[in-house]
Amino acid sequence: METHVDFVQWLETDMTLNILMRLDDPADVVRAASVSCLWRQFVATNGISKQLCLRKFPQLSSITRITEPDLRVAERKDESSNSSWEALKRDHNVYASLLQDIETSNSRPSDCMGHAVRASSTDRYPFESIVNTLAPSDRYGIRPSYWSSIGHSDPNASETLIYKLKADLCCISEINIQPFEVYFHRGRPICSAKSVRFRLGHLKSSREKSYLLHFPQLQPADDKFIWTYTSEEFQMRQENRLQQFKLPEPVLCIGGYLQIELLGIAQRCDIDNLFYICINYVKVRGRPLSPAFGVQNIELSGDFVLEYKRGFL
């Protein structure tokens, strides 16, 4: 008769963890927790689904706890009076669901752009506003549609554009940018940057939302954010086309803000002999996570509470 041995029961904890942490597919984590009560207890107690999330997306290390805001008061009291085992099971379920949602988002990318927030400078506001970069056309009616920086005497100057993504939790895979061809100037110059870098992050404090809403668009806002991810530097070509900048790995943006840093200026204007960057269109590829997941900023700490609404899944 063939003998079967349950390695979770017989191996040392470290060895079992070493085996189970080699799982990649979130569905395999769920299956492992369904093998038996012993396996479920081991997976939940050792936070395997959370560890896999952190391994794939280190940005999740800023999540300090999980809440379920949709639970009725009575259910919350029951949960708080339960053993720590109930909390471990809840955390396992939430992180396993989160991991599965992130993996799904990578296979079905879509547009993640929300709205324009701020540009570090604008030449002729509002006619050359950052808002113009949300539409792919280089014309709005008979008027040119693009964002332009102020003129710089230094070709190594830099500019930044800040956008709000569609959701506070988005998995971002690439950013597309089209420089603007100034078709109404002699020679039709293309006013691109020399290179570009991307940052993802969140507001330092929820109070900063009021600043962004009520202060003029021309006020700088770069110091209102904490950037938790910074990409490598990508070369931008001086070409009138939508240029794709693919991140080495999909990045989970917690907080929902993107900064585009435009480094160096390729084109000098022959009218005033100054250097300008002009951008026609910006597109963000990835996917907002399910509405089942939300985040709340813990003021001034850089940490977050993960909110889980089980009814959405």
Side-chain angles (χ1 to χ4, degrees):
M1 179 182 232
E2 188 177 354
T3 303
H4 297 277
V5 176
D6 186 342
F7 70 86
V8 172
Q9 183 176 3
W10 291 104
L11 292 180
E12 295 289 336
T13 298
D14 288 347
M15 181 64 73
T16 305
L17 273 175
N18 189 296
I19 294 170
L20 293 180
M21 283 299 294
R22 296 176 186 274
L23 297 173
D24 272 331
D25 190 334
D28 290 337
V29 180
V30 175
R31 293 188 190 103
S34 303
V35 170
S36 66
C37 290
L38 178 63
W39 279 53
R40 180 173 179 79
Q41 184 175 16
F42 186 91
V43 168
T45 301
N46 290 281
I48 289 176
S49 56
K50 179 179 180 179
Q51 289 188 59
L52 289 173
C53 276
L54 290 174
R55 187 174 71 188
K56 285 178 172 287
F57 299 96
Q59 298 82 17
L60 285 168
S61 61
S62 61
I63 300 293
T64 58
R65 68 179 189 273
I66 297 172
T67 63
E68 295 191 66
D70 291 345
L71 287 183
R72 295 189 298 271
V73 174
E75 289 177 302
R76 290 181 187 173
K77 286 181 178 178
D78 288 343
E79 188 179 74
S80 64
S81 63
N82 283 338
S83 66
S84 59
W85 166 238
E86 294 300 320
L88 289 170
K89 282 199 301 183
R90 189 273 314 274
D91 286 2
H92 160 69
N93 291 333
V94 172
Y95 277 106
S97 299
L98 179 61
L99 187 60
Q100 192 159 13
D101 193 45
I102 293 172
E103 291 295 313
T104 302
S105 73
N106 293 336
S107 63
R108 297 203 304 260
S110 62
D111 181 20
C112 284
M113 179 64 82
H115 61 264
V117 176
R118 283 289 193 280
S120 53
S121 77
T122 302
D123 188 35
R124 294 190 306 139
Y125 183 83
F127 303 107
E128 296 175 338
S129 165
I130 183 178
V131 174
N132 295 334
T133 65
L134 300 177
S137 175
D138 62 359
R139 291 173 174 82
Y140 182 76
I142 61 172
R143 179 174 61 81
S145 178
Y146 62 99
W147 164 79
S148 175
S149 71
I150 60 172
H152 294 275
S153 58
D154 181 5
N156 295 314
S158 64
E159 294 279 352
T160 58
L161 303 175
I162 299 176
Y163 298 90
K164 178 69 177 71
L165 303 178
K166 277 186 176 179
D168 288 342
L169 284 169
C170 287
C171 195
I172 304 302
S173 55
E174 68 179 69
I175 296 96
N176 305 155
I177 304 175
Q178 181 161 352
F180 181 67
E181 181 181 57
V182 190
Y183 56 82
F184 48 86
H185 278 193
R186 185 181 62 186
R188 302 174 71 98
I190 299 171
C191 297
S192 69
K194 294 178 181 177
S195 60
V196 63
R197 184 164 53 214
F198 307 106
R199 291 187 171 93
L200 296 166
H202 58 87
L203 287 167
K204 287 182 178 177
S205 164
S206 58
R207 293 191 296 270
E208 305 295 1
K209 284 186 179 180
S210 177
Y211 174 91
L212 296 178
L213 288 172
H214 297 107
F215 278 70
Q217 276 277 334
L218 293 177
Q219 291 285 338
D222 293 82
D223 62 342
K224 306 300 178 185
F225 298 89
I226 294 175
W227 305 113
T228 56
Y229 169 82
T230 301
S231 77
E232 63 186 85
E233 191 173 320
F234 298 89
Q235 181 184 3
M236 179 177 279
R237 298 188 179 278
Q238 196 175 4
E239 298 175 359
N240 178 28
R241 62 178 178 85
L242 191 63
Q243 300 179 36
Q244 298 178 331
F245 303 101
K246 191 174 180 65
L247 302 180
E249 296 289 341
V251 177
L252 182 64
C253 178
I254 301 177
Y257 286 90
L258 163 70
Q259 181 198 69
I260 298 175
E261 190 175 10
L262 300 158
L263 305 165
I265 308 175
Q267 184 68 44
R268 187 198 299 267
C269 176
D270 58 7
I271 296 175
D272 59 10
N273 217 31
L274 296 176
F275 292 88
Y276 293 83
I277 300 177
C278 300
I279 300 298
N280 175 29
Y281 181 47
V282 173
K283 185 176 184 179
V284 184
R285 298 285 292 168
R287 183 170 170 266
L289 297 196
S290 164
F293 302 102
V295 288
Q296 285 295 326
N297 190 2
I298 300 175
E299 295 295 308
L300 304 177
S301 68
D303 293 331
F304 288 88
V305 175
L306 178 64
E307 294 183 341
Y308 178 61
K309 306 176 185 71
R310 62 178 76 183
F312 281 92
L313 290 177

